[in-house]
mmCIF file of all heavy atoms in Angstrom:
data_model
loop_
_atom_site.group_PDB
_atom_site.id
_atom_site.type_symbol
_atom_site.label_atom_id
_atom_site.label_comp_id
_atom_site.label_asym_id
_atom_site.label_seq_id
_atom_site.Cartn_x
_atom_site.Cartn_y
_atom_site.Cartn_z
ATOM 1 N N PHE O 261 13.696 38.948 -14.270
ATOM 2 C CA PHE O 261 13.306 38.371 -15.553
ATOM 3 C C PHE O 261 11.877 37.838 -15.571
ATOM 4 O O PHE O 261 11.421 37.192 -14.622
ATOM 5 C CB PHE O 261 14.230 37.222 -15.924
ATOM 6 C CG PHE O 261 15.553 37.653 -16.479
ATOM 7 C CD1 PHE O 261 16.732 37.129 -15.962
ATOM 8 C CD2 PHE O 261 15.633 38.568 -17.520
ATOM 9 C CE1 PHE O 261 17.966 37.507 -16.478
ATOM 10 C CE2 PHE O 261 16.857 38.949 -18.041
ATOM 11 C CZ PHE O 261 18.031 38.423 -17.517
ATOM 12 N N LEU O 274 24.218 35.897 -24.353
ATOM 13 C CA LEU O 274 24.752 34.537 -24.427
ATOM 14 C C LEU O 274 24.658 33.922 -25.817
ATOM 15 O O LEU O 274 25.230 32.857 -26.063
ATOM 16 C CB LEU O 274 24.024 33.624 -23.421
ATOM 17 C CG LEU O 274 23.957 34.123 -21.969
ATOM 18 C CD1 LEU O 274 23.192 33.128 -21.101
ATOM 19 C CD2 LEU O 274 25.365 34.342 -21.416
ATOM 20 N N PHE O 276 21.970 32.639 -27.151
ATOM 21 C CA PHE O 276 21.055 31.493 -27.153
ATOM 22 C C PHE O 276 19.846 31.779 -28.039
ATOM 23 O O PHE O 276 19.374 32.912 -28.125
ATOM 24 C CB PHE O 276 20.539 31.191 -25.742
ATOM 25 C CG PHE O 276 21.581 30.648 -24.792
ATOM 26 C CD1 PHE O 276 21.292 30.488 -23.445
ATOM 27 C CD2 PHE O 276 22.850 30.304 -25.239
ATOM 28 C CE1 PHE O 276 22.238 29.991 -22.565
ATOM 29 C CE2 PHE O 276 23.808 29.809 -24.362
ATOM 30 C CZ PHE O 276 23.496 29.660 -23.020
ATOM 31 N N ILE O 284 17.081 25.134 -21.415
ATOM 32 C CA ILE O 284 18.046 25.215 -20.316
ATOM 33 C C ILE O 284 17.358 25.694 -19.038
ATOM 34 O O ILE O 284 17.614 25.173 -17.944
ATOM 35 C CB ILE O 284 19.206 26.160 -20.700
ATOM 36 C CG1 ILE O 284 19.940 25.623 -21.927
ATOM 37 C CG2 ILE O 284 20.182 26.313 -19.535
ATOM 38 C CD1 ILE O 284 20.863 26.636 -22.578
ATOM 39 N N LEU O 288 17.081 23.985 -15.270
ATOM 40 C CA LEU O 288 17.427 24.686 -14.023
ATOM 41 C C LEU O 288 16.266 24.642 -13.036
ATOM 42 O O LEU O 288 16.467 24.452 -11.831
ATOM 43 C CB LEU O 288 17.808 26.138 -14.327
ATOM 44 C CG LEU O 288 19.115 26.364 -15.105
ATOM 45 C CD1 LEU O 288 19.280 27.852 -15.412
ATOM 46 C CD2 LEU O 288 20.318 25.848 -14.327
ATOM 47 N N GLY O 292 15.772 22.480 -9.294
ATOM 48 C CA GLY O 292 15.568 23.260 -8.077
ATOM 49 C C GLY O 292 16.430 24.498 -7.975
ATOM 50 O O GLY O 292 16.548 25.095 -6.901
ATOM 51 N N HIS O 293 17.027 24.932 -9.105
ATOM 52 C CA HIS O 293 17.929 26.088 -9.061
ATOM 53 C C HIS O 293 17.204 27.428 -9.232
ATOM 54 O O HIS O 293 17.658 28.438 -8.696
ATOM 55 C CB HIS O 293 19.001 25.972 -10.140
ATOM 56 C CG HIS O 293 19.946 24.826 -9.941
ATOM 57 N ND1 HIS O 293 20.536 24.550 -8.729
ATOM 58 C CD2 HIS O 293 20.396 23.864 -10.808
ATOM 59 C CE1 HIS O 293 21.313 23.485 -8.848
ATOM 60 N NE2 HIS O 293 21.240 23.056 -10.090
ATOM 61 N N ILE O 294 16.122 27.460 -10.026
ATOM 62 C CA ILE O 294 15.401 28.721 -10.261
ATOM 63 C C ILE O 294 13.901 28.488 -10.099
ATOM 64 O O ILE O 294 13.428 27.344 -10.085
ATOM 65 C CB ILE O 294 15.672 29.291 -11.677
ATOM 66 C CG1 ILE O 294 15.143 28.329 -12.765
ATOM 67 C CG2 ILE O 294 17.153 29.574 -11.879
ATOM 68 C CD1 ILE O 294 15.163 28.912 -14.179
ATOM 69 N N ARG O 345 13.815 33.817 -10.767
ATOM 70 C CA ARG O 345 14.917 34.169 -9.865
ATOM 71 C C ARG O 345 15.542 32.882 -9.337
ATOM 72 O O ARG O 345 14.953 31.799 -9.415
ATOM 73 C CB ARG O 345 14.401 34.998 -8.686
ATOM 74 C CG ARG O 345 13.361 34.274 -7.843
ATOM 75 C CD ARG O 345 13.128 34.942 -6.508
ATOM 76 N NE ARG O 345 12.053 34.308 -5.759
ATOM 77 C CZ ARG O 345 12.198 33.198 -5.027
ATOM 78 N NH1 ARG O 345 13.383 32.591 -4.956
ATOM 79 N NH2 ARG O 345 11.175 32.684 -4.378
ATOM 80 N N PRO O 346 16.746 32.969 -8.784
ATOM 81 C CA PRO O 346 17.339 31.790 -8.136
ATOM 82 C C PRO O 346 16.514 31.393 -6.915
ATOM 83 O O PRO O 346 15.975 32.260 -6.212
ATOM 84 C CB PRO O 346 18.736 32.261 -7.716
ATOM 85 C CG PRO O 346 19.019 33.447 -8.577
ATOM 86 C CD PRO O 346 17.687 34.105 -8.812
ATOM 87 N N THR O 347 16.429 30.112 -6.663
ATOM 88 C CA THR O 347 15.694 29.665 -5.472
ATOM 89 C C THR O 347 16.505 29.927 -4.207
ATOM 90 O O THR O 347 15.954 30.201 -3.143
ATOM 91 C CB THR O 347 15.364 28.165 -5.567
ATOM 92 O OG1 THR O 347 16.554 27.446 -5.919
ATOM 93 C CG2 THR O 347 14.313 27.916 -6.624
ATOM 94 N N TYR O 348 17.827 29.814 -4.329
ATOM 95 C CA TYR O 348 18.716 30.097 -3.183
ATOM 96 C C TYR O 348 19.668 31.197 -3.621
ATOM 97 O O TYR O 348 20.633 30.944 -4.353
ATOM 98 C CB TYR O 348 19.488 28.842 -2.768
ATOM 99 C CG TYR O 348 18.588 27.689 -2.368
ATOM 100 C CD1 TYR O 348 18.345 26.644 -3.256
ATOM 101 C CD2 TYR O 348 17.970 27.665 -1.124
ATOM 102 C CE1 TYR O 348 17.522 25.584 -2.910
ATOM 103 C CE2 TYR O 348 17.140 26.613 -0.754
ATOM 104 C CZ TYR O 348 16.921 25.580 -1.659
ATOM 105 O OH TYR O 348 16.094 24.541 -1.301
ATOM 106 N N ILE O 349 19.426 32.410 -3.157
ATOM 107 C CA ILE O 349 20.176 33.565 -3.648
ATOM 108 C C ILE O 349 21.627 33.531 -3.190
ATOM 109 O O ILE O 349 22.501 34.181 -3.793
ATOM 110 C CB ILE O 349 19.474 34.876 -3.212
ATOM 111 C CG1 ILE O 349 19.814 36.006 -4.204
ATOM 112 C CG2 ILE O 349 19.855 35.250 -1.796
ATOM 113 C CD1 ILE O 349 19.191 35.851 -5.543
ATOM 114 N N ASP O 350 21.930 32.766 -2.135
ATOM 115 C CA ASP O 350 23.322 32.700 -1.674
ATOM 116 C C ASP O 350 24.170 31.767 -2.539
ATOM 117 O O ASP O 350 25.388 31.672 -2.346
ATOM 118 C CB ASP O 350 23.386 32.267 -0.206
ATOM 119 C CG ASP O 350 22.722 30.917 0.039
ATOM 120 O OD1 ASP O 350 21.975 30.456 -0.838
ATOM 121 O OD2 ASP O 350 22.958 30.335 1.123
ATOM 122 N N ARG O 351 23.529 31.067 -3.497
ATOM 123 C CA ARG O 351 24.291 30.237 -4.440
ATOM 124 C C ARG O 351 24.665 31.090 -5.647
ATOM 125 O O ARG O 351 23.858 31.296 -6.542
ATOM 126 C CB ARG O 351 23.451 29.029 -4.886
ATOM 127 C CG ARG O 351 23.219 28.014 -3.790
ATOM 128 C CD ARG O 351 22.433 26.824 -4.308
ATOM 129 N NE ARG O 351 22.099 25.894 -3.247
ATOM 130 C CZ ARG O 351 21.262 24.864 -3.385
ATOM 131 N NH1 ARG O 351 20.667 24.652 -4.553
ATOM 132 N NH2 ARG O 351 21.008 24.061 -2.373
ATOM 133 N N HIS O 352 25.907 31.545 -5.656
ATOM 134 C CA HIS O 352 26.350 32.414 -6.748
ATOM 135 C C HIS O 352 26.588 31.633 -8.028
ATOM 136 O O HIS O 352 26.564 32.201 -9.116
ATOM 137 C CB HIS O 352 27.633 33.137 -6.352
ATOM 138 C CG HIS O 352 27.456 34.050 -5.181
ATOM 139 N ND1 HIS O 352 28.385 35.001 -4.828
ATOM 140 C CD2 HIS O 352 26.453 34.168 -4.274
ATOM 141 C CE1 HIS O 352 27.969 35.656 -3.759
ATOM 142 N NE2 HIS O 352 26.799 35.157 -3.396
ATOM 143 N N SER O 353 26.818 30.344 -7.906
ATOM 144 C CA SER O 353 27.021 29.486 -9.070
ATOM 145 C C SER O 353 26.476 28.099 -8.769
ATOM 146 O O SER O 353 26.163 27.794 -7.618
ATOM 147 C CB SER O 353 28.515 29.414 -9.429
ATOM 148 O OG SER O 353 29.249 28.864 -8.341
ATOM 149 N N ILE O 354 26.365 27.295 -9.808
ATOM 150 C CA ILE O 354 25.789 25.954 -9.654
ATOM 151 C C ILE O 354 26.666 24.941 -10.382
ATOM 152 O O ILE O 354 27.505 25.287 -11.205
ATOM 153 C CB ILE O 354 24.359 25.882 -10.236
ATOM 154 C CG1 ILE O 354 24.385 26.287 -11.718
ATOM 155 C CG2 ILE O 354 23.391 26.721 -9.429
ATOM 156 C CD1 ILE O 354 23.179 25.847 -12.506
ATOM 157 N N SER O 358 28.010 23.930 -19.105
ATOM 158 C CA SER O 358 28.468 25.304 -19.305
ATOM 159 C C SER O 358 27.287 26.237 -19.590
ATOM 160 O O SER O 358 27.224 27.358 -19.058
ATOM 161 C CB SER O 358 29.468 25.346 -20.467
ATOM 162 O OG SER O 358 29.764 26.667 -20.835
ATOM 163 N N GLN O 359 26.354 25.777 -20.408
ATOM 164 C CA GLN O 359 25.191 26.603 -20.744
ATOM 165 C C GLN O 359 24.316 26.844 -19.527
ATOM 166 O O GLN O 359 23.816 27.965 -19.321
ATOM 167 C CB GLN O 359 24.377 25.934 -21.852
ATOM 168 C CG GLN O 359 25.084 25.915 -23.195
ATOM 169 C CD GLN O 359 24.259 25.228 -24.259
ATOM 170 O OE1 GLN O 359 23.452 24.340 -23.979
ATOM 171 N NE2 GLN O 359 24.449 25.634 -25.495
ATOM 172 N N GLU O 360 24.119 25.822 -18.700
ATOM 173 C CA GLU O 360 23.309 25.982 -17.487
ATOM 174 C C GLU O 360 23.961 26.970 -16.518
ATOM 175 O O GLU O 360 23.280 27.815 -15.930
ATOM 176 C CB GLU O 360 23.115 24.620 -16.815
ATOM 177 C CG GLU O 360 22.183 23.701 -17.581
ATOM 178 C CD GLU O 360 22.214 22.260 -17.096
ATOM 179 O OE1 GLU O 360 22.948 21.968 -16.126
ATOM 180 O OE2 GLU O 360 21.535 21.418 -17.693
ATOM 181 N N LYS O 361 25.275 26.889 -16.394
ATOM 182 C CA LYS O 361 25.995 27.807 -15.500
ATOM 183 C C LYS O 361 25.867 29.250 -15.979
ATOM 184 O O LYS O 361 25.664 30.160 -15.178
ATOM 185 C CB LYS O 361 27.472 27.414 -15.433
ATOM 186 C CG LYS O 361 27.750 26.130 -14.668
ATOM 187 C CD LYS O 361 29.240 25.801 -14.708
ATOM 188 C CE LYS O 361 29.547 24.533 -13.939
ATOM 189 N NZ LYS O 361 30.997 24.196 -13.989
ATOM 190 N N ARG O 362 25.986 29.445 -17.287
ATOM 191 C CA ARG O 362 25.935 30.804 -17.841
ATOM 192 C C ARG O 362 24.536 31.413 -17.689
ATOM 193 O O ARG O 362 24.394 32.591 -17.339
ATOM 194 C CB ARG O 362 26.345 30.784 -19.314
ATOM 195 C CG ARG O 362 27.812 30.449 -19.533
ATOM 196 C CD ARG O 362 28.112 30.210 -20.990
ATOM 197 N NE ARG O 362 28.028 31.434 -21.755
ATOM 198 C CZ ARG O 362 27.788 31.489 -23.056
ATOM 199 N NH1 ARG O 362 27.574 30.375 -23.743
ATOM 200 N NH2 ARG O 362 27.752 32.651 -23.692
ATOM 201 N N LEU O 363 23.501 30.611 -17.954
ATOM 202 C CA LEU O 363 22.145 31.141 -17.829
ATOM 203 C C LEU O 363 21.814 31.408 -16.364
ATOM 204 O O LEU O 363 21.182 32.428 -16.042
ATOM 205 C CB LEU O 363 21.126 30.170 -18.437
ATOM 206 C CG LEU O 363 19.708 30.735 -18.559
ATOM 207 C CD1 LEU O 363 19.684 31.920 -19.521
ATOM 208 C CD2 LEU O 363 18.723 29.672 -19.024
ATOM 209 N N TYR O 364 22.251 30.522 -15.484
ATOM 210 C CA TYR O 364 22.006 30.746 -14.054
ATOM 211 C C TYR O 364 22.692 32.035 -13.597
ATOM 212 O O TYR O 364 22.102 32.838 -12.863
ATOM 213 C CB TYR O 364 22.514 29.558 -13.229
ATOM 214 C CG TYR O 364 22.315 29.755 -11.745
ATOM 215 C CD1 TYR O 364 21.088 29.466 -11.144
ATOM 216 C CD2 TYR O 364 23.332 30.269 -10.941
ATOM 217 C CE1 TYR O 364 20.897 29.676 -9.785
ATOM 218 C CE2 TYR O 364 23.150 30.480 -9.579
ATOM 219 C CZ TYR O 364 21.926 30.178 -9.013
ATOM 220 O OH TYR O 364 21.725 30.394 -7.674
ATOM 221 N N ALA O 365 23.932 32.246 -14.035
ATOM 222 C CA ALA O 365 24.662 33.457 -13.644
ATOM 223 C C ALA O 365 23.938 34.712 -14.120
ATOM 224 O O ALA O 365 23.872 35.714 -13.398
ATOM 225 C CB ALA O 365 26.081 33.414 -14.221
ATOM 226 N N LEU O 366 23.372 34.645 -15.325
ATOM 227 C CA LEU O 366 22.617 35.782 -15.854
ATOM 228 C C LEU O 366 21.401 36.076 -14.979
ATOM 229 O O LEU O 366 21.124 37.234 -14.635
ATOM 230 C CB LEU O 366 22.173 35.480 -17.288
ATOM 231 C CG LEU O 366 21.553 36.633 -18.078
ATOM 232 C CD1 LEU O 366 22.605 37.666 -18.435
ATOM 233 C CD2 LEU O 366 20.894 36.101 -19.357
ATOM 234 N N ILE O 367 20.662 35.017 -14.595
ATOM 235 C CA ILE O 367 19.469 35.181 -13.751
ATOM 236 C C ILE O 367 19.858 35.697 -12.367
ATOM 237 O O ILE O 367 19.202 36.586 -11.811
ATOM 238 C CB ILE O 367 18.707 33.841 -13.655
ATOM 239 C CG1 ILE O 367 18.146 33.441 -15.025
ATOM 240 C CG2 ILE O 367 17.578 33.925 -12.619
ATOM 241 C CD1 ILE O 367 17.644 32.016 -15.101
ATOM 242 N N TRP O 368 20.948 35.169 -11.830
ATOM 243 C CA TRP O 368 21.395 35.603 -10.493
ATOM 244 C C TRP O 368 21.749 37.086 -10.502
ATOM 245 O O TRP O 368 21.315 37.854 -9.641
ATOM 246 C CB TRP O 368 22.597 34.757 -10.053
ATOM 247 C CG TRP O 368 23.016 35.013 -8.641
ATOM 248 C CD1 TRP O 368 22.559 34.379 -7.519
ATOM 249 C CD2 TRP O 368 23.968 35.993 -8.194
ATOM 250 N NE1 TRP O 368 23.167 34.900 -6.394
ATOM 251 C CE2 TRP O 368 24.033 35.897 -6.781
ATOM 252 C CE3 TRP O 368 24.755 36.939 -8.841
ATOM 253 C CZ2 TRP O 368 24.859 36.712 -6.019
ATOM 254 C CZ3 TRP O 368 25.590 37.762 -8.079
ATOM 255 C CH2 TRP O 368 25.636 37.642 -6.681
ATOM 256 N N LYS O 369 22.545 37.516 -11.485
ATOM 257 C CA LYS O 369 22.968 38.923 -11.549
ATOM 258 C C LYS O 369 21.771 39.857 -11.730
ATOM 259 O O LYS O 369 21.687 40.909 -11.091
ATOM 260 C CB LYS O 369 23.958 39.114 -12.701
ATOM 261 C CG LYS O 369 25.311 38.486 -12.452
ATOM 262 C CD LYS O 369 26.210 38.638 -13.686
ATOM 263 C CE LYS O 369 27.554 37.980 -13.465
ATOM 264 N NZ LYS O 369 28.410 38.060 -14.677
ATOM 265 N N ARG O 370 20.851 39.477 -12.605
ATOM 266 C CA ARG O 370 19.681 40.333 -12.860
ATOM 267 C C ARG O 370 18.828 40.453 -11.600
ATOM 268 O O ARG O 370 18.306 41.531 -11.288
ATOM 269 C CB ARG O 370 18.863 39.733 -14.009
ATOM 270 C CG ARG O 370 17.555 40.416 -14.313
ATOM 271 C CD ARG O 370 17.720 41.588 -15.250
ATOM 272 N NE ARG O 370 16.433 41.963 -15.829
ATOM 273 C CZ ARG O 370 16.243 42.332 -17.083
ATOM 274 N NH1 ARG O 370 17.261 42.412 -17.914
ATOM 275 N NH2 ARG O 370 15.052 42.655 -17.531
ATOM 276 N N THR O 371 18.673 39.350 -10.888
ATOM 277 C CA THR O 371 17.857 39.355 -9.669
ATOM 278 C C THR O 371 18.489 40.238 -8.600
ATOM 279 O O THR O 371 17.813 41.064 -7.972
ATOM 280 C CB THR O 371 17.685 37.920 -9.139
ATOM 281 O OG1 THR O 371 17.151 37.087 -10.170
ATOM 282 C CG2 THR O 371 16.752 37.895 -7.940
#
Side-chain angles (χ1 to χ4, degrees):
F261 281 130
L274 308 179
F276 291 172
I284 299 166
L288 292 176
H293 294 313
I294 64 171
R345 60 165 175 82
T347 49
Y348 301 101
I349 206 70
D350 58 345
R351 291 182 185 170
H352 297 194
S353 61
I354 58 161
S358 170
Q359 291 179 332
E360 289 168 2
K361 289 178 179 179
R362 292 170 70 204
L363 189 64
Y364 179 83
L366 189 71
I367 294 168
W368 187 89
K369 289 176 182 177
R370 174 86 163 220
T371 305

